[in-house]
Structures are given as structure tokens and as C-alpha cells.
């Protein structure tokens, strides 16, 4: 059986690996001149790597954990000891632990409401959630307005959603927000470092997962071959790229939904993969590199949250025994504004903020910016954002094949949607679907 896999991210490479192990003749077509998609290594010092894309994982990411072990890679625990820094417009403050210096009752009230929404959603089929149509119509911003919560909760909510989903409250439906939080293991798990979804990173960088999977597939992976057109009939499928036609018995399309819709299909698909309301998560990562994790000498964990940006949060991503790396996140609307700045202004804004937040730190030796908004082959970082109406329109068809064309990618997984774990699970599911067909 000849199979073409479109996209050499974690989903596509997982599907290709499974299918090749089953004896299929596999070709992986990748648009970029690298594999890995939304994983990407950043060399912060000679031989020391940080993650410009996906980084964190937890013990519930069982498929990812088993892939890490199978590839002979290791994980390193995320360090989170010491005081946190917060800035909510009235000057930076330190606190013990990660709880922000805001009205605790107000935040408790906000999270009680979020827990209630999250508990009610049907994670395997969000469109079948009781009252799904109403929850799918309303944006998270509209929902917040209707709650009448305290101002401190209103200040904190966009930062929380930015960190969790790289989204603004206006970008996502309430149903998508509740589903995403539930699909990732619940609010507590998703938000936690020790024992949660950010407990560890891949030692040496998550990009190695795709590099190693692709190395095993060898010349079956073809780079710089964006797929433009997929034509099928009763006898087979023809996949056209800028360079060649590839004939196959079946195809797995493992790209984000908006990019799947950029491919022409003949015959035309009965339904699109995205709608006009489907947005893209907007994330820019900034790595600030020091000779060592100097903030630890000041009793600080490196964790910070700021309402005044551009970095909304920072976390200690230092490789063990090596350079000090603070990773900053710019997400949602802040990311769109930051992306419009020229490189000099971006760097100046980051340096000025870090000086305010961590006055004891010297200037970083290096500053590496990974701007996912300017990546034409991602369009949704961390992931696609389902806007009003999307779950009801798109959900029931996410994994339904179009003839010989099957779908993978983290956005097709109702388990750990938007995460590496979801991407891997979707790759296994698509490979099984092809084999069964
Ligand atoms: C900044 C950032 C931080 C993140 N943090 C985390 C984290 O801490 N933990 C976590 O678990 N996840 C995280 N994620 C999400 C995670 O990276 C993704 O869920 C996962 O990598 C998606 O894998 P995928 O294979 O579904 O898609 P992708 O990685 O997007 O792979 C799709 C591939 O298809 C290619 N492609 C697109 N169009 C075409 C075409 N027409 N023809 C051929 N090829 C095409 C693309 O170039 C790409 O290589 C983060 C993502 C970002 C960007």
C-alpha cells in the first residue's frame, strides 16, 4: 500500500512511522525545509538547547512519554523553587509561590465558574455537551462580561487564557475554552508545574523527537514540498506539490485546519476544516540567555506574570548545569502588537521590562525571539482557536475521512487538543484508520 503523509510535525511523523512499521510504502511531504512543525530547537549556547516552540509535558502525556523513551531521549524537571514576580500596573512585587497578589476571593470566584464550565463539557464530543449551541455561540469575553466578576478577576482572566491557549478571550467560544481546559487534563493539571502539564521538558529540546523520527524514515521524508492539490478517484489518489505528482492509495493530511483548507481537493470536500470564525493561537517566545540561572541567587524562581507586557509570563528553562535561560511568552493581542515592531524595538521593550521585573539581574547576554505569527506553515500557535459556532460546525467531522484522505494533527484530537500529546495520539489514530480502510 502506498501512503502519502502531508506534514512532518509530530502527528504526520507518528502516522508515517506506524504505517511504515505495518509495511506500507510511505512518503512524507513537508512544506518547510525542516521537520518538526510547531516544535523547534533554539541553540542558546554551544550544544545547549531550549525550545522555541512546544516544550512542556506531564505524566498524563503517556504517548509522548513512551515516544521519548523509545527514541532514547530523557526529560528534565522544570525548576520552580523560590519567589515569583508579578506586575499588574502598580509596580512589580514578589510573592511566595505562584499565587498572584490580587484579590484571592475574586480569583477563587473566577476559577469556581471555570471549573463548573469545564466539568460540564463532554470532552470526547464537545458538540454533544448539554447546552452546546449556547456555549458555542458565546465568546469567552462575552461570558466574562456576563459573570459580573470582580475587577481583579477581569485583569487576571486574559493572562490566564493567554498562558493556557495563546488566545484572547474574544477569540474563542466558551465551549472551546471549556473543552480545551478539560481535554488537557483540567485546569489544575494544565496550569501546574510539579505534577502537572509543565512538569518537565525534553532534555536537549522537543525538536529532537521529530528529527529522530524523520531520521528513521530517511529519504521517505521530502522537505520543501508544500502540497497544493489532492485528487482522488476510485482507483487512487494523486498528490501535487510544486515539484512533483505523488501517486498513493491513501493520504494522511496532518496539518493545522486552516492550512488543510488551503489545499485544493478534487472532488471537493463536503465540509471545510475551518470556518471564518476559526482563529489562530498567537505566541511569540523569547529566550533570555545568562551565563547561569542568576535569579536563583536572589531567591527567585524565574516565574513572573505581567499585565503590562510585552512578556506576559517568564519561566526558568535553564538546561541543567548550563546557561541560565528565562523563557518569556508573548501571546494573543500582545503578540499581534509585538509582531508589528521592528527587531530593535522588540529587543528594547523586552530588555526594559526584564530590568523592571528583575532589577537585580544584569542584561542578558543573548536574546532569541521565535515569532510564530510570521510562520506561514503554522497558523495557530500553540493551536487553532475554535471561535463561535466552530465546534458545532466542525467537531462532528474532525476525523471523518474524505474518501481516501484521512486527517491527523493535534486539532483533530479530542484528547490533549493543541498539545504534543494530542498530535501523537492523532497520528496513531489516523494510521489505524488507514490500515482499517
Ligand atoms: C510557542 C509554542 C509553544 C507550545 N508549547 C507547548 C507545550 O509546552 N507543550 C505541548 O505539548 N505543546 C505545546 N505547543 C503545541 C505543540 O507544538 C503542537 O500541538 C504540536 O507540535 C502540533 O503537531 P502537529 O503535527 O499536529 O502540527 P505541526 O507541528 O504544525 O505540523 C504540521 C506540519 O505540516 C507542515 N505543512 C503545513 N502545510 C503543509 C502543506 N500544504 N504541505 C506540506 N506540509 C505542510 C508544516 O510545515 C508542519 O511541519 C506549543 C506550540 C507553540 C508554537
Amino acid at each position: 500500500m502506498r501512503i502519502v503523509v502531508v506534514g512532518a510535525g509530530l502527528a504526520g511523523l507518528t502516522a508515517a512511522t506506524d504505517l511504515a512499521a505495518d509495511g506500507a510504502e510511505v512518503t512524507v511531504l513537508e512544506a518547510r525545509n525542516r521537520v518538526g512543525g510547531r516544535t523547534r530547537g533554539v541553540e542558546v549556547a554551544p550544544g545547549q538547547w531550549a525550545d522555541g516552540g512546544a516544550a512542556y509535558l506531564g505524566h498524563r502525556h503517556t504517548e509522548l512519554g513512551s515516544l521519548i523513551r523509545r527514541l532514547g531521549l530523557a526529560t528534565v524537571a522544570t525548576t520552580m523553587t523560590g519567589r515569583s514576580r508579578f506586575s499588574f500596573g502598580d509596580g512589580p512585587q514578589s510573592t511566595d509561590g505562584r499565587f498572584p497578589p490580587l484579590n484571592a476571593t475574586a480569583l477563587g470566584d473566577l476559577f469556581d465558574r471555570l471549573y463548573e464550565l469545564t466539568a460540564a463539557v463532554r470532552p470526547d464530543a464537545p458538540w454533544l455537551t448539554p447546552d452546546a449551541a449556547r456555549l458555542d455561540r458565546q465568546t469567552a469575553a462575552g461570558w466574562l462580561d456576563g459573570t459580573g466578576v470582580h475587577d481583579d478577576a477581569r485583569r487576571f482572566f486574559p493572562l490566564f487564557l493567554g498562558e493556557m491557549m495563546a488566545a484572547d478571550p474574544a477569540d474563542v467560544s466558551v465551549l472551546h475554552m471549556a473543552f480545551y481546559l478539560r481535554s488537557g487534563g483540567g485546569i489544575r493539571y494544565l496550569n501546574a508545574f510539579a505534577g502537572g502539564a509543565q512538569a518537565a521538558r525534553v532534555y536537549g529540546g522537543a525538536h529532537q523527537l521529530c528529527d529522530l523520527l524523520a531520521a528513521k524514515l530517511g529519504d521517505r521524508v521530502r522537505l520543501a514540498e508544500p502540497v497544493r492539490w489532492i485528487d482522488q478517484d476510485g482507483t487512487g489518489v494523486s498528490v501535487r506539490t510544486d515539484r512533483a505528482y505523488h501517486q498513493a492509495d491513501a493520504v494522511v493530511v496532518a496539518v493545522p485546519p486552516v492550512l488543510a483548507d488551503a489545499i485544493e481537493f478534487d472532488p471537493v470536500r463536503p465540509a471545510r476544516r475551518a470556518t471564518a470564525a476559526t482563529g489562530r493561537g498567537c505566541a511569540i517566545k523569547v529566550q533570555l540567555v545568562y551565563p547561569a540561572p542568576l535569579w536563583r541567587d536572589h531567591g527567585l524562581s524565574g516565574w513572573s506574570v505581567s499585565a503590562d507586557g510585552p512578556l506576559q509570563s517568564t519561566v526558568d528553562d535553564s538546561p541543567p548545569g548550563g546557561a541560565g535561560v528565562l523563557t518569556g511568552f508573548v501571546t494573543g493581542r500582545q503578540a499581534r502588537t509585538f509582531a508589528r515592531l521592528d527587531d530593535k524595538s522588540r529587543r528594547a521593550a523586552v530588555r526594559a521590562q526584564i530590568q523592571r521585573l528583575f532589577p537585580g539581574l544584569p542584561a542578558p547576554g543573548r536574546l532569541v525571539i521565535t515569532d510564530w505569527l510570521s510562520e506561514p506553515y503554522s497558523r495557530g500557535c500553540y493551536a487553532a482557536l475554535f471561535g463561535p459556532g466552530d465546534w458545532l460546525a466542525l467537531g462532528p467531522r474532525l476525523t471523518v475521512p474524505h474518501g481516501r484522505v484521512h486527517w491527523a494533527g493535534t486539532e483533530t484530537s479530542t484528547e490533549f487538543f493543541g498539545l504534543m500529546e494530542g498530535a501523537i495520539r492523532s497520528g496513531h489514530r489516523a494510521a489505524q484508520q488507514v490500515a482499517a480502510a
Side-chain angles (χ1 to χ4, degrees), residues 417-436:
F417 178 109
L419 299 178
M420 294 186 276
E421 178 71 13
I424 296 168
R425 290 188 187 205
S426 80
H428 289 314
R429 190 257 313 136
Q432 279 163 15
Q433 232 177 16
V434 172

Side-chain angles (χ1 to χ4, degrees), residues 182-196:
R182 177 77 181 268
S183 159
I187 295 171
R188 276 202 189 87
Y189 183 75
L190 258 182
N191 197 24
F193 284 84

Side-chain angles (χ1 to χ4, degrees), residues 5-13 29-32 34-39 52-57 61 64 197-198 225-228 254-256 259-260 262-263 283-285 329 370 372 376-378 380-383 408-411 416-424 426:
V5 175
V6 184
L10 273 170
L13 290 170
L29 301 173
E30 167 54 46
R32 290 175 163 106
R34 65 170 181 87
V35 300
R38 285 172 267 181
T39 62
Y56 308 108
L57 60 122
H61 301 172
L64 176 56
Q198 273 107 230
E225 280 220 44
V227 168
R228 306 292 185 197
V255 309
L259 293 171
I263 299 172
I284 298 175
K285 260 192 174 184
F329 290 80
T370 309
W372 290 94
Y377 289 112
S378 282
C381 294
Y382 322 138
T410 193
E411 286 92 350
F416 301 95
F417 178 109
L419 299 178
M420 294 186 276
E421 178 71 13
I424 296 168
S426 80

